[in-house]
Amino acid sequence: MKPRHKNVPEQALLAAVAAGHDPNNCTVVSDVLARIGDKWTVLVVMLLQNGPRRFNELKRMIGGISQRMLTLTLRGLERDGLVTRTVYPTVPPRVDYALTDLGRSLGEPVRHLGAWANANAATIMEARRIFDTDIQHLDG
Amino acid sequence: MKPRHKNVPEQALLAAVAAGHDPNNCTVVSDVLARIGDKWTVLVVMLLQNGPRRFNELKRMIGGISQRMLTLTLRGLERDGLVTRTVYPTVPPRVDYALTDLGRSLGEPVRHLGAWANANAATIMEARRIFDTDIQHLDG
DNA sequence: CGGGATCCGGACGGATACTG
DNA sequence: CAGTATCCGTCCGGATCCCG
């Protein structure tokens, strides 16, 4: 799972420094977003906060995800050390996915973002509606 | 700027409830991520934290963005009420982009995410390197 | 059950040319 | 300077088939 954001130019980083603030808070975050910003990752991470889950269990819980994307999502999380994959050589096979400490720690900032989202969702939707209605930006 | 994530199925929301935690912290956050998770939005928001900027000023600061994507990004932010667009009818024309209170407030959770990213970037990179090196997941 | 392999449409995003 | 319009490649992500 290659990051969707191929690379954020280093000039942006330098510019951020010149602008007078820590580049860590704008460039590195882009990298994280490239990781968790895809369609399903956050959903999976949040669902796993409650404990290990099996593949099809996750698939059912999410409901609209294809097995392909769930596989890719879990592989990516495993690759980054956020999730562990445990295979039980039984018949039929059983595979458990669980968060690592690192993966669990991601829940915290994500919840912060969730709080912001909840607090401002209505406002954003309203702003969006207004913007789409009176299109004064077509020149007023 | 239509959201990249068309829709996260409602079943996921219900599943999240069944799993025993507030769906707000997993589904709504997906919506926010669909908004700020694109390639440039966070970068722009963080750069604007220092005050208003002009179009080409932002373009130069970011460095690798096309005028097309900067326009789309700023339109999206304006639409959601995170950024204001001020046109000065001078010659040559001048347009200032500035964060709204809402846009400024987004900086906080983003910084949280940035902090997490900074704290764990090295760990993630290392995990990634190991995962890519010994490919024990091809059966070991 | 838990995937891998493949096909494919559509969205994302860059490059370029043109405008007021 | 600050865009708009257009073309076009890439890659995301769904559907389907197959395998151990």
Side-chain angles (χ1 to χ4, degrees):
Chain A
M1 178 182 274
K2 289 151 297 184
R4 177 167 38 82
H5 308 172
K6 306 185 181 179
N7 52 12
V8 173
E10 320 231 348
Q11 311 169 23
L13 188 149
L14 298 175
V17 177
H21 70 284
D22 193 347
N24 296 331
N25 287 333
C26 83
T27 304
V28 177
V29 93
S30 279
D31 199 52
V32 178
L33 284 171
R35 179 76 274 284
I36 68 171
D38 64 30
K39 195 170 178 178
W40 306 107
T41 294
V42 169
L43 219 44
V44 171
V45 169
M46 294 316 279
L47 287 176
L48 284 179
Q49 295 277 338
N50 302 313
R53 298 289 178 186
R54 301 180 59 175
F55 186 87
N56 276 328
E57 194 176 2
L58 283 172
K59 188 167 181 338
R60 272 191 305 275
M61 291 173 78
I62 299 181
I65 193 173
S66 62
Q67 75 291 38
R68 171 182 148 80
M69 289 318 296
L70 182 53
T71 300
L72 290 178
T73 301
L74 289 168
R75 282 287 179 277
L77 288 171
E78 186 191 1
R79 184 168 109 98
D80 287 356
L82 299 176
V83 157
T84 59
R85 178 171 179 271
T86 310
V87 182
Y88 301 94
T90 61
V91 180
R94 173 199 176 105
V95 179
D96 271 19
Y97 292 93
L99 289 180
T100 62
D101 288 340
L102 185 58
R104 228 164 289 122
S105 75
L106 178 57
E108 189 187 356
V110 167
R111 270 184 292 271
H112 272 281
L113 211 52
W116 185 89
N118 273 319
N120 305 105
T123 306
I124 292 181
M125 290 311 178
E126 177 63 6
R128 200 174 289 188
R129 196 188 57 73
I130 292 177
F131 186 91
D132 291 346
T133 303
D134 33 301
I135 324 183
Q136 79 264 76
H137 34 93
L138 284 186
D139 182 279
Chain B
M1 178 183 271
K2 291 151 297 186
R4 176 167 39 79
H5 307 174
K6 306 183 182 179
N7 51 11
V8 172
E10 319 230 348
Q11 310 169 24
L13 187 149
L14 298 176
V17 178
H21 69 284
D22 193 348
N24 296 331
N25 287 331
C26 84
T27 304
V28 177
V29 93
S30 279
D31 199 51
V32 178
L33 284 171
R35 177 78 274 285
I36 69 170
D38 63 29
K39 195 170 180 178
W40 305 108
T41 295
V42 168
L43 219 43
V44 170
V45 169
M46 293 317 278
L47 287 176
L48 285 179
Q49 295 278 336
N50 302 312
R53 299 287 179 188
R54 302 180 57 174
F55 186 86
N56 277 330
E57 195 176 2
L58 283 171
K59 189 167 181 334
R60 271 191 306 275
M61 291 172 78
I62 299 181
I65 194 174
S66 62
Q67 75 290 39
R68 170 183 147 81
M69 288 319 295
L70 183 52
T71 299
L72 289 177
T73 300
L74 289 169
R75 282 288 179 278
L77 287 171
E78 186 191 359
R79 184 167 111 99
D80 287 357
L82 299 175
V83 158
T84 59
R85 180 171 179 269
T86 311
V87 182
Y88 301 93
T90 61
V91 180
R94 172 199 177 107
V95 179
D96 271 18
Y97 291 93
L99 290 180
T100 61
D101 288 340
L102 185 59
R104 227 165 290 124
S105 75
L106 178 57
E108 188 187 356
V110 167
R111 269 185 294 270
H112 273 279
L113 210 53
W116 185 90
N118 273 319
N120 305 104
T123 306
I124 292 180
M125 291 310 180
E126 178 63 6
R128 201 173 288 189
R129 197 188 57 74
I130 293 177
F131 186 91
D132 291 346
T133 303
D134 33 303
I135 324 181
Q136 78 265 75
H137 34 96
L138 285 186
D139 182 280

